[in-house]
Amino acid sequence: MSIERVTILGSTGSIGVQTLDIIRRNPERFQVSSLVAHSRWEELARQAREFNAESVVIGDKSLYPQLKEALADTPTKVLAGEEDINFVAESYRSDTVVNALVGYAGLHPTALAIESGKRIALANKETLVVGGDIIMAAARRKGVEIMPIDSEHSAIMQCLEGERREAIRNLIITCSGGALRHLSIEELEGVTPEMALKHPQWSMGAKITIDSATLVNKGFEVIEARWLFDIEAERIKVVIHPQSIVHSMVEFTDGSVKAQLGNADMHTPISYALLYPERATRAVEHFSILDYPTLSFAEVDRVKYPALDIAYECLRRGGTAACTMNGANEVAVAAFLNHKCRYHDIVGAIRYALDNASFEAHPTLDDYDAANRESRELARRYIKM
Ligand code: NDP
Ligand code: MG
């Protein structure tokens, strides 16, 4: 088997570090091509040395001198800035691009990697939330495989193995309910970032942990599933499942429901995306169903979590609507994390942006850039930043 060259966008983050764990365990299978981060240059330099990376890119250009100096005695090529991130995603020699960037920043690198025919392992769900229609069309045109890293979509993909499209009735996405699930709407008013960052099951980056608390993340996952599996929004259901053991399910026309279960550990979906159609031999600790004698499921409280219905609304509206939701959310989450707005302002900013943004029904990538800029501006106005 030939060695596969892997580029990791966001190598210093939660998904990036776990991806490198899997590469470390499979040296005969994978070799690192490029590593990309934004600010953690020391960690990036350490990773580059350990994995003998061909190149590294630091998003924040002001950190280039430090990184260059730290790798001066190595053959690793040091690059910086957004253009160089796009350059390595598109042009640098690699077979697979793992996109583990956060937010809108992931869209263009995914699009460029697809155009150059690279296989995509996609954690950056915002790519599909914003531009799912053109991204999936480009992947089909180029014959490029997009492997989801998001655990719910990995679960659905596993349930769909060997099944015919016509046999699918519904996709059922599970949702832990996030860190604040025991609080009432009134109690949510006083929530601090510190409270929202305590996710009960998953240890993840800050932005997705807040998105999990508001259920914006679950709304995004519905949009992601709509594009990834080419299925109408009405056939994508969400259920609360506090234990995070069933990672998602597929209901078939004969009444069968297939589910994928396992520990809440991202090593499993990451290794599935990288090794498919093979499976890792020791991805995570052994899972025993006996440890979970009770698995429970419940309806989502749509009043407490308005973000979920807003995501469905964006799918109905199509065009730039979901891009607008995403841009406003990014600004509001960053503001919330910096104590610049309250918890409810996150959905407030999304609503305000959707109600005031211009709308493009058949957007190009440039139109998405414009919609993203506009929605961020609207969110800043709403939060009075
Ligand atoms: P983290 O915040 O932990 O990591 C993000 C990574 O991207 C870091 O390496 C960061 O660099 C880098 N980065 C961020 N912005 C930029 C930028 N503008 N340019 C270059 N690099 C950038 O995030 P996660 O790993 O948690 O999440 C990554 C993606 O995966 C998100 O889209 C998230 O929704 C998705 N996801 C994550 C899951 C998880 O378990 N964490 C589960 C399912 C999906 P630096 O650290 O150096 O600043
Ligand atoms: Mg998920």
Side-chain angles (χ1 to χ4, degrees), residues 112-358:
L112 291 165
I114 291 172
E115 286 307 325
S116 60
K118 299 185 177 73
R119 188 171 177 269
I120 310 287
L122 191 65
N124 179 262
K125 64 189 80 186
E126 294 90 342
T127 288
L128 292 177
V129 169
V130 171
D133 49 353
I134 44 183
I135 290 292
M136 294 310 291
R140 278 192 291 275
R141 176 166 44 78
K142 297 299 275 187
V144 159
E145 205 172 31
I146 299 189
M147 295 294 295
I149 284 181
D150 217 347
S151 58
E152 293 77 2
H153 305 75
S154 178
I156 290 170
M157 191 175 166
Q158 294 179 52
C159 294
L160 290 176
E161 271 293 292
E163 301 289 352
R164 285 165 47 249
R165 280 194 63 76
E166 308 78 68
I168 306 170
R169 184 172 286 158
N170 291 305
L171 306 184
I172 304 162
I173 297 179
T174 52
C175 171
S176 70
L180 311 172
R181 61 188 182 217
H182 302 300
L183 303 186
S184 66
I185 296 192
E186 295 72 35
E187 286 168 326
L188 285 172
E189 192 63 38
V191 156
T192 62
E194 292 69 28
M195 289 160 76
L197 282 172
K198 288 206 182 84
H199 195 284
Q201 267 87 31
W202 299 95
S203 159
M204 311 180 283
K207 193 242 175 197
I208 186 178
T209 307
I210 301 301
D211 289 350
S212 300
T214 56
L215 257 66
V216 164
N217 180 55
K218 215 42 64 176
F220 283 179
E221 290 181 353
V222 170
I223 302 175
E224 185 184 5
R226 186 264 170 270
W227 297 116
L228 211 44
F229 304 111
D230 191 18
I231 189 163
E232 315 87 89
E234 304 74 56
R235 294 204 288 148
I236 307 172
K237 317 286 179 193
V238 176
V239 295
I240 296 283
H241 168 49
Q243 297 84 12
S244 296
I245 290 300
V246 175
H247 299 309
S248 277
M249 300 176 253
V250 178
E251 181 191 350
F252 295 95
T253 47
D254 65 352
S256 277
V257 175
K258 276 164 88 174
Q260 186 260 350
L261 284 70
N263 294 323
D265 186 329
M266 288 306 292
H267 287 89
T268 302
I270 299 170
S271 63
Y272 189 78
L274 285 180
L275 294 162
Y276 179 86
E278 288 162 42
R279 281 191 185 267
T281 46
R282 51 187 182 108
V284 298
E285 271 185 33
H286 171 67
F287 168 74
S288 171
I289 194 74
L290 297 176
D291 293 338
Y292 299 92
T294 309
L295 294 178
S296 56
F297 301 90
E299 289 277 2
V300 177
D301 180 339
R302 317 294 271 224
V303 177
K304 187 170 149 188
Y305 296 116
L308 186 58
D309 284 335
I310 296 180
Y312 280 99
E313 175 193 327
C314 288
L315 278 177
R316 273 194 305 279
R317 286 165 70 169
T320 44
C323 177
T324 299
M325 176 179 182
N326 178 69
N329 181 60
E330 276 183 39
V331 167
V333 168
F336 176 67
L337 284 169
N338 288 315
H339 299 269
K340 298 255 170 60
C341 74
R342 293 164 310 142
Y343 171 88
H344 288 307
D345 291 333
I346 298 175
V347 169
I350 292 172
R351 186 73 267 162
Y352 179 79
L354 279 169
D355 291 345
N356 291 284
S358 45

